Amino acid sequence: MASNASDELIGTWVTGWAGARGYEARHEGRVHAALRHDTTEDWEYVIFDPTVEELLAVSETLKKHPARRLTAFADDVSELINIANQSGLQVAADDEVLMVTELASHDVEVPLPPDGFIFQIERDGTHAYVSLHPEDSQDVVAASGHVSAVDGYAIFDRIITAPDFRRRGLGSLTMRALASLAQEHDVDEGLLIASVDGQKLYASLGWTNLGSVVAFKA
């Protein structure tokens, strides 16, 4: 299993994350980027452990384009934030982490839905989308998620459980279904960005922390 994050790993995550969301992605040296057409309608830059020079350069770009954002991965968040602040950036969010799991430890078969629910599965090349619906109200999405296979990794994204359906194990079930679909491809490990709410769930499913994620704006 990967023991820590790296620029190559972050580039792989960006490719899978952007692919799952239909974003255009670019990789220019250590600066990865995705065009978030559905939210900010502008570019989000992604850098692993950015240098002072990289932060200064991105800061200048964000000042000219206020809708743009920077997502940075680092082990030492306090030092990163300190340097970023000096570079003219401010924190937009600092409560997410990058997590990894060894997929061999997860089920290969898609789990059965609980009584009263049905799974819907959509595949598109190396991408898959899973949604869980009440049998009597199939237009309602109780839980859902995406997974993309990229260079031996499965990138999990947008794992969502609707408020009315939480604390029933549906998020765990969706993750199991996604892990099984990912293993239809040549993948060894899973990657995801976990919110505060999701970190405990993913840890219980065998995911481990690879480092912190901080989002910056001008």
Side-chain angles (χ1 to χ4, degrees), residues 7-214:
D7 176 58
E8 182 179 6
L9 189 72
I10 298 310
T12 298
W13 174 80
V14 170
T15 298
W17 168 69
R21 299 192 178 201
Y23 297 158
E24 178 187 347
R26 295 179 182 173
H27 305 274
E28 298 177 4
R30 282 176 30 84
V31 180
H32 313 283
L35 182 57
R36 302 196 66 161
H37 61 77
D38 58 343
T39 54
T40 62
E41 299 182 354
D42 213 329
W43 291 93
E44 179 167 333
Y45 303 107
V46 183
I47 308 177
F48 169 71
D49 200 15
T51 63
V52 175
E53 291 76 13
E54 287 169 335
L55 288 172
L56 284 169
V58 172
S59 175
E60 290 303 311
T61 300
L62 265 56
K63 288 174 186 175
K64 296 175 185 174
H65 305 276
R68 297 186 182 181
R69 295 290 183 267
L70 166 66
T71 294
F73 295 77
D75 291 327
D76 188 345
V77 173
S78 58
E79 179 65 13
L80 170 66
I81 291 174
N82 183 42
I83 296 172
N85 287 339
Q86 293 177 30
S87 304
L89 298 170
Q90 57 178 303
V91 174
D94 63 354
D95 55 0
E96 296 183 322
V97 298
L98 177 66
M99 302 188 80
V100 66
T101 191
E102 200 167 317
L103 287 170
S105 64
H106 294 261
D107 295 337
V108 176
E109 299 295 328
V110 176
L112 294 173
D115 289 343
F117 289 87
I118 61 168
F119 269 129
Q120 288 185 6
I121 296 172
E122 300 173 21
R123 295 176 176 84
D124 181 11
T126 56
H127 307 294
Y129 171 72
V130 168
S131 54
L132 195 59
H133 307 260
E135 282 183 336
D136 58 358
S137 186
Q138 294 183 25
D139 58 334
V140 173
V141 180
S144 61
H146 293 79
V147 67
S148 300
V150 182
D151 296 335
Y153 287 90
I155 316 301
F156 293 71
D157 184 48
R158 282 181 169 167
I159 315 301
I160 299 169
T161 303
D164 290 346
F165 296 93
R166 290 176 183 164
R167 304 196 183 281
R168 302 191 199 180
L170 302 186
S172 299
L173 202 65
T174 300
M175 287 295 293
R176 286 173 55 199
L178 291 169
S180 68
L181 292 169
Q183 291 177 83
E184 294 176 359
H185 304 278
D186 185 16
V187 293
D188 298 312
E189 294 175 296
L191 289 174
L192 60 75
I193 302 295
S195 65
V196 172
D197 290 340
Q199 288 166 32
K200 187 177 292 186
L201 166 65
Y202 303 135
S204 72
L205 297 175
W207 291 73
T208 55
N209 194 336
L210 271 186
S212 297
V213 185
V214 186

